[in-house]
Amino acid sequence: MSELVYAWIGDAPVPYDQGWELQKRVHARRVADEIPDTALLLEHEPVYTAGKRTGKWDRPLTDPGAPIYDIDRGGKITWHGPGQLTVYPIVRLPDPIDVIAYVRMQEEAIIRVLAEYGLSGKRVEGRTGVWLDADPARGLIERKVAAIGCRISRGVGMHGFALNCDNDLSWFDRIVPCGIADAGVTSLSHELGRDVTVAEVLASTERHLADVLDAPSYSHTHGIDETEGLVGA
């Protein structure tokens, strides 16, 4: 894998359409080998995104208070917003492309981040994302702390994962998150009983994602202006 560039564009929550357009431009330039592998890191303004497998029963029955975008990633409906670290790795995958292995790599990066906080993240067979075990003694059911939804186009990944840090979990009450009705949603802050911000988890997320992607090194750009300079007009 080539050098990985991390582009932090989350100084303020990013409207989804703005982030989506930037992601598409980065993807097009990576496909053309005009830029190195690049991962966008940000917080979105509140938004629901519905993947290709979203059914009508997964969607809000009433106005959820945030826009809903139908997008071309896999999976079902989920929420993004302030307090949640959203990462879009726009990276070229080796041939032959193994989408499942790519998803597992992202899960592994998240599991390693959670371990730094003393949490045992796990995979659940038949489901994507990273989960925490049920804890009957505390009245807790199995719950998701990070969601993953990817698309591979012309050999380069799009979309990615979202790690719940200190976001408002009530947004998930308005949908069936990722189409899974028999489990809960949680955040680092909720699990640890203290405020764990996006800024706090950035460095460990970058380190572990670079490791699982086997990037020999990584560098940074900061803000929309620097990222636009990377991508070009």
Side-chain angles (χ1 to χ4, degrees), residues 15-24 42 44-45 47-55 59 67-80 84 86-88 147-153 158-162 178:
Y16 188 78
D17 54 355
Q18 181 178 347
W20 176 219
E21 288 303 316
L22 179 60
Q23 188 181 169
K24 287 187 285 188
L42 63 143
H44 274 302
E45 291 182 354
V47 64
Y48 293 96
T49 64
K52 292 183 291 186
R53 294 179 53 242
T54 302
R59 297 174 181 269
I68 302 173
Y69 283 84
D70 290 282
I71 58 174
D72 57 357
R73 63 163 169 78
K76 296 192 176 185
I77 193 167
T78 192
W79 174 88
H80 299 301
Q84 181 191 70
T86 299
V87 182
Y88 298 131
I148 297 176
C150 301
R151 178 182 178 225
I152 311 301
S153 175
M158 301 181 74
H159 304 291
F161 65 87
C178 302

Side-chain angles (χ1 to χ4, degrees), residues 2 6 11-12 19 37 47 75 80 96 122 142 152 163 184 191 194 207 215 219-221 233:
S2 66
Y6 284 115
D11 286 343
D37 289 326
V47 64
H80 299 301
K122 69 170 189 175
E142 192 173 61
I152 311 301
L163 173 61
E191 294 297 322
R194 68 172 182 85
R207 185 173 68 255
S219 60
H220 297 85
T221 64

Side-chain angles (χ1 to χ4, degrees), residues 158-185:
M158 301 181 74
H159 304 291
F161 65 87
L163 173 61
N164 295 332
C165 297
D166 61 348
N167 46 296
D168 179 357
L169 296 174
S170 69
W171 286 100
F172 292 102
D173 295 339
R174 306 168 202 187
I175 58 172
V176 179
C178 302
I180 299 168
D182 60 346
V185 180

